[in-house]
Amino acid sequence: MKHLITCKELNATDIEAIFAHASEFKRMKGLTPVSQKQFLNQTVSLIFVESSTRTRMSFEIASLNLGARVVQLFPEISSLNKGETLEDTVLDLYAMGCRYFVIRHPQSGIFDALLNIKKPGLKYINAGDGDREHPSQALLDAFTLIEKFGTLKDLRICILGDVLRSRVAKSNAIVLSRLGAKISVSGPKPLLPSKSDLPEVEIFESPDDAVRDVDVVMGLRTQMERGGTTFKPDSSYLDTYGVSKMRLKLAKKDAWVMHPGPVQRNVDIDSEIIDGPNSLILKQIENGVFVRMAIMAHMGLEMV
Ligand code: CP
């Protein structure tokens, strides 16, 4: 695994190896002994051209736990702001010694151009490209569910909300279905994908039908920043489309609740559900550090 750009590139062996590494890192609470600090004297560059709390900070912590130095490029005070391209920015940082690039960008498919750069040891991790993919989020979600259920085989998972513009939903559809889960999705009609967008899932116009008897419900934020529709959540959104208390009663008794964050309390998900006993939301965030360490360790280093 040279890069992690799309979940389509992940086979079951990669996923199993990443989860085995993540479990081991979790057992050690991320405190790797010096002998396992595989990234000692390596420099990891975080380039987030879009806002982030969880992904950016957990990749930073993961990199530090593995012994790496971390440098962050802040787009608004970088020369990206003066018209320099992202490709030239990567080349600049490569020249300074960076080999690992964790990149978030609003443009879907931004890595297509970056992959034209051929440099020894250069590695990319997609930290979210537009509405296309967010592979590390899907891996940490699957890891969290395997911790809870042991296996994803025949687990029923419902994803509710702005599925059309969600890179999390797209990456999760690939990873969770590859591990045997059955996925239903629903949300406002303008924010529903077509079957060809998301062939791995069953699409429901009625959120209640999508949630009925599932083991897990995952809420999503409405991503107004992506445009493409005039739909805007209003005060009725939670009851009509979101993870409300009433809707959750239609799922299996004691169904677990997930959300990739950032959460919009009482819009996409009821605030009491977020803080309730069946919420996995903080567990997802906790596991994000170990899974991201595992992704980096699995990708390894090429000594150049
Ligand atoms: N889940 C997620 O990508 O959160 P951030 O945008 O805070 O990184």
Side-chain angles (χ1 to χ4, degrees), residues 74 76 125-126 143 160 195-196 206 213 228 255 257 262 267 291 298:
F74 297 106
E76 63 281 9
I125 296 179
N126 180 359
F143 179 82
L160 280 184
K195 190 69 191 160
S196 59
S206 155
D213 294 327
V257 177
V267 180
V291 171
H298 184 66

Side-chain angles (χ1 to χ4, degrees), residues 146-216:
I146 287 177
E147 266 190 344
K148 201 47 77 190
F149 291 95
T151 174
L152 299 195
K153 183 99 185 63
D154 295 328
L155 197 74
R156 295 192 56 202
I157 301 168
C158 172
I159 304 178
L160 280 184
D162 183 356
V163 181
L164 179 68
R165 298 180 294 186
S166 172
R167 54 197 178 204
V168 173
K170 286 172 192 122
S171 290
N172 260 317
I174 298 167
V175 170
L176 299 177
S177 64
R178 196 155 287 175
L179 297 175
K182 308 271 181 268
I183 304 161
S184 58
V185 304
S186 188
K189 208 165 176 195
L191 302 182
L192 279 181
S194 65
K195 190 69 191 160
S196 59
D197 289 332
L198 225 49
E200 303 87 355
V201 308
E202 193 175 356
I203 300 163
F204 290 85
E205 285 197 11
S206 155
D208 288 352
D209 290 344
V211 163
R212 218 173 295 284
D213 294 327
V214 299
D215 301 282
V216 179

Side-chain angles (χ1 to χ4, degrees), residues 48 51-56 104 127 134 137 167-168 260-262:
F48 278 64
S51 306
S52 168
T53 297
R54 280 146 286 268
T55 313
R56 185 170 62 83
R104 169 170 287 189
H134 193 347
Q137 180 70 44
R167 54 197 178 204
V168 173

Side-chain angles (χ1 to χ4, degrees), residues 257-296:
V257 177
M258 304 178 87
H259 194 300
V263 290
Q264 297 198 312
R265 285 178 182 262
N266 295 323
V267 180
D268 25 86
I269 181 165
D270 187 290
S271 192
E272 286 181 25
I273 294 176
I274 295 172
D275 302 323
N278 282 35
S279 170
L280 291 173
I281 295 170
L282 289 175
K283 189 57 73 182
Q284 291 170 266
I285 297 170
E286 178 190 340
N287 285 338
V289 171
F290 309 118
V291 171
R292 288 178 171 125
M293 287 175 76
I295 290 167
M296 295 176 68

Side-chain angles (χ1 to χ4, degrees), residues 3 43 50 67 77 138 204 246 266-267 272 297 304:
H3 307 288
T43 309
E50 207 181 65
I77 52 162
F204 290 85
M246 286 290 281
N266 295 323
V267 180
E272 286 181 25
V304 286

